[in-house]
Amino acid sequence: MNKKLAIVLMGVAFLAGFMPFVAVKTKWFQPAAAQANADILVNLDQRDLKRLDELVGRFNRAQGDNLMVISLTIDSGPWIHDVYTDGTVIVWTVDNTRDAHSSPKQKQTYTCTSVEKIETSERYVLQLSKCGGQNDKLPILDIEKNREH
């Protein structure tokens, strides 16, 4: 085989093998709608904040929704938030059992009839209320504004 042809074929083979990796990393294979409506939030960035706004909005319109938030900690394991709503109640489960420094390690489930996102100058806070007959407000998820980019 001609040496130039062999080099060209090797280059084509390399690109054919490399392009799927590039497509996955740059999310070329996902339509924009699929990216915008992801149901697993990890980055807690602007896209994830929009998804949390969608959750609150859907609940307030009496529509169902379901998502998972993986809140990473600085020095140990993540806290996993499983959220489900049928539009009338919101069930929010917080699992800190993977965080080495949490005490006590447990899964705590809150069943509430109100959720809202509160914005301060430094953070966004998702807050539950009207949980199990109590009118206390429960800040359930806290996102620093400097993490939203």
Side-chain angles (χ1 to χ4, degrees):
M1 182 183 303
N2 185 344
K3 193 174 189 178
K4 289 181 182 178
L5 180 60
I7 291 172
V8 168
L9 289 176
M10 285 181 15
V12 169
F14 172 76
L15 288 175
F18 185 69
M19 287 309 289
F21 173 78
V22 171
V24 168
K25 287 299 184 184
T26 60
K27 300 181 182 173
W28 286 350
F29 68 96
Q30 290 183 348
Q35 290 179 31
N37 295 317
D39 294 330
I40 300 175
L41 310 181
V42 177
N43 299 319
L44 301 178
D45 57 5
Q46 195 64 37
R47 182 186 65 86
D48 289 355
L49 285 168
K50 286 180 185 176
R51 181 61 179 90
L52 290 167
D53 284 339
E54 181 182 340
L55 168 79
V56 172
R58 289 180 61 83
F59 179 81
N60 290 332
R61 291 188 305 274
Q63 297 174 332
D65 205 351
N66 190 19
L67 64 86
M68 176 184 286
V69 179
I70 302 174
S71 179
L72 302 174
T73 59
I74 294 172
D75 58 351
S76 59
W79 286 37
I80 313 285
H81 299 252
D82 285 311
V83 185
Y84 168 78
T85 179
D86 64 0
T88 60
V89 296
I90 187 163
V91 179
W92 196 298
T93 301
V94 181
D95 177 1
N96 69 358
T97 60
R98 293 166 184 86
D99 183 0
H101 298 295
S102 287
S103 181
K105 292 182 188 322
Q106 63 184 356
K107 287 185 183 180
Q108 181 72 41
T109 299
Y110 305 95
T111 303
C112 306
T113 58
S114 179
V115 62
E116 63 183 322
K117 186 179 96 173
I118 298 168
E119 181 177 356
T120 68
S121 61
E122 298 173 358
R123 61 190 70 248
Y124 300 100
V125 178
L126 257 73
Q127 180 173 278
L128 302 175
S129 59
K130 301 179 186 171
C131 304
Q134 300 177 0
N135 286 327
D136 293 342
K137 296 185 182 234
L138 174 67
I140 194 78
L141 185 64
D142 186 289
I143 302 169
E144 293 180 33
K145 282 191 172 180
N146 64 4
R147 290 185 64 182
E148 68 180 277
H149 302 292

